[in-house]
Amino acid sequence: MAKLIDGKQISADIRAELHEQIKQWMAKGNRAPQLTAILIGDDPASKTYVAVKMKAAAEVGIVSKTERFEADITEEKLLARIEALNQDDSVDGILVMLPVPGHINERKVCNSVSCDKDVDGLNERNAGRLYMGTDTLIPCTALAVQELIKRSQIETIGKNVVVVGCSKHAGLPIAMLLHAEGANDMCATVTICHKFTPPEELARFCRSADIIVTATGVPGLIRGDMIKEGAAVIDVGITRVADPATGKAKLVGDVDFEDARKVAGHITPVPGGVGPMTVAMLMKNTFIVAKNQAIKRAQN
Amino acid sequence: MAKLIDGKQISADIRAELHEQIKQWMAKGNRAPQLTAILIGDDPASKTYVAVKMKAAAEVGIVSKTERFEADITEEKLLARIEALNQDDSVDGILVMLPVPGHINERKVCNSVSCDKDVDGLNERNAGRLYMGTDTLIPCTALAVQELIKRSQIETIGKNVVVVGCSKHAGLPIAMLLHAEGANDMCATVTICHKFTPPEELARFCRSADIIVTATGVPGLIRGDMIKEGAAVIDVGITRVADPATGKAKLVGDVDFEDARKVAGHITPVPGGVGPMTVAMLMKNTFIVAKNQAIKRAQN
């Protein structure tokens, strides 16, 4: 039976560590780190996510603020507001809740967030730095996966990793972190599978993987018979489905959990795996930004 | 016996096409595309490469210039010169010959080349755009591999590709292009192997690959028995070794060519495969820059 990777507990540990670090940092005379979220329209999922993030921020000692805009805000106005936040010394991290309404160019918005304050790591220049192996702000989901692997003491050097899904905010940055060399990188052989990978090939790649990271949003995609005995399974997927027994909505990942846990060595549950860790890594990124901004202010 | 992918011939075809396109474009009243190379010190390999590139430029109708600097030029002076070229409307493509001397920060130099004139695709922002799937200037080696695959009508959608080596100018951009979705991308399942991949795993991945792209500079790394019958083998490696028969220097790739050609379906020779194609793609990138810059000038 697989060892459960308890994302809730690990995330609580990280937030407790951060809380302590922030307290010590503030005791030296620094102001509290600050995080501003931008929420456009009233997508219920975005509202829930932002509330969860703001709560976590308060817990670790990060001052946060959510700026709400109507769904019909113009791109121009939104970009102007982001630029004002970029220039505002009282703001550290800036987080634009995605997706933005269809009339707004999402890529333009992500690129408008100053690289220095881009806690989501979605500015194209930060993506390029991740790709180049330069120290930078990295998407929280990728950091979450990396941290879960590290804290579970799962070996990665020269191991086979399959990343299923190649989105720019999850699969691809995960593939970047896990294949790369260096102190914080993982040196694994990485296979990037996606919707064009034939099912039988996906199964074959998964069966020879030491670590499977799946980020597709396709429930039940990864079955128990696709997992090598003892492999680690990290499930980034999170989809709302109706429970066949009760008819109530519930959250599931990409992995057939009950089946997979019989074979895997380590497994993350959904919910309670990668999700809470992503929030913890957002707090970590915000504190990194706060420290860098404080140094910048002091040097000016 | 494998079909030879004749990079020399395909590159000549592309250069002939480009020559025609540039002629037509100039007939509309545009000035000739321009390419400026920066050569620091006197590395003999860089000198040879730059000469080959300048010759190809002349052939297709690109005006080129090589600016030479002493090996002890300061980083500050070099960056100032690049900035002047960025601002110079008579300059289209800018190409800094790498490696630069050790006292100069190579990443800083690559990032200093305007994204719009970065014909080598090595500015971190252009790397980020490649990663994000945004239209941008892409490293010539990656374009060369993509074009060889396309012109040889080798299928890629849902096929298994192994990329051996993950350098920022070859392996990694190749992996980006080959896995991605879209009109010019290849939709393949991509496995990134590198020096941490155990030899037996490298062999196993290669044996199930429909396409092997190797870019390591390790002669003989890819043996015939690692290749699936009928697979395509693209050899980006190029290393100068002593010929055991004659004692003379000769160029070899990563692939044991004589062995591999008996098994592979398609194979590139070294020299005469990827090398000449890289030069052709540099010309293509320069023409793209020239056209974009002309539009920019016209709009200002």
Side-chain angles (χ1 to χ4, degrees), chain A residues 255-272:
Chain A
V255 177
D256 181 340
F257 183 77
E258 288 309 325
D259 221 25
R261 68 188 306 191
K262 294 175 196 153
V263 199
H266 288 83
I267 193 166
T268 60
V270 175

Side-chain angles (χ1 to χ4, degrees), chain A residues 160 188-191 194 197 201, chain B residues 160 188-192 194 197 201:
Chain A
N160 295 336
T189 304
V190 171
T191 300
H194 43 62
T197 305
E201 286 300 305
Chain B
N160 295 335
T189 303
V190 172
T191 301
I192 306 171
H194 44 63
T197 305
E201 287 299 306

Side-chain angles (χ1 to χ4, degrees), chain A residues 31 33-38 54 62-65 85-86 88-96 113-114 116-120 137 282 285-291 293:
Chain A
R31 69 153 170 75
Q34 201 277 355
L35 174 63
T36 295
I38 292 182
M54 298 299 117
I62 291 173
V63 173
S64 72
K65 191 181 155 185
L85 294 172
N86 286 341
D88 185 342
D89 272 344
S90 70
V91 172
D92 292 323
I94 301 172
L95 176 74
V96 182
V113 175
S114 159
D116 296 337
K117 299 188 172 189
D118 176 30
V119 285
D120 248 354
L137 292 165
L282 176 65
N285 271 352
T286 304
F287 187 37
I288 291 171
V289 168
K291 287 189 289 187
Q293 292 299 103

Side-chain angles (χ1 to χ4, degrees), chain A residues 205-286:
Chain A
F205 279 114
C206 285
R207 273 186 211 113
S208 66
D210 302 297
I211 303 172
I212 298 171
V213 184
T214 179
T216 68
V218 180
L221 183 68
I222 308 299
R223 304 181 312 270
D225 68 356
M226 293 164 70
I227 301 167
K228 183 169 84 172
E229 178 106 30
V233 179
I234 315 280
D235 193 346
V236 183
I238 187 153
T239 310
R240 191 175 295 271
V241 297
D243 188 320
T246 65
K248 283 188 188 165
K250 65 166 189 173
L251 296 174
V252 296
D254 296 350
V255 177
D256 181 340
F257 183 77
E258 288 309 325
D259 221 25
R261 68 188 306 191
K262 294 175 196 153
V263 199
H266 288 83
I267 193 166
T268 60
V270 175
V274 176
M277 277 300 290
T278 300
V279 178
M281 300 323 279
L282 176 65
M283 300 306 127
K284 215 167 167 173
N285 271 352
T286 304

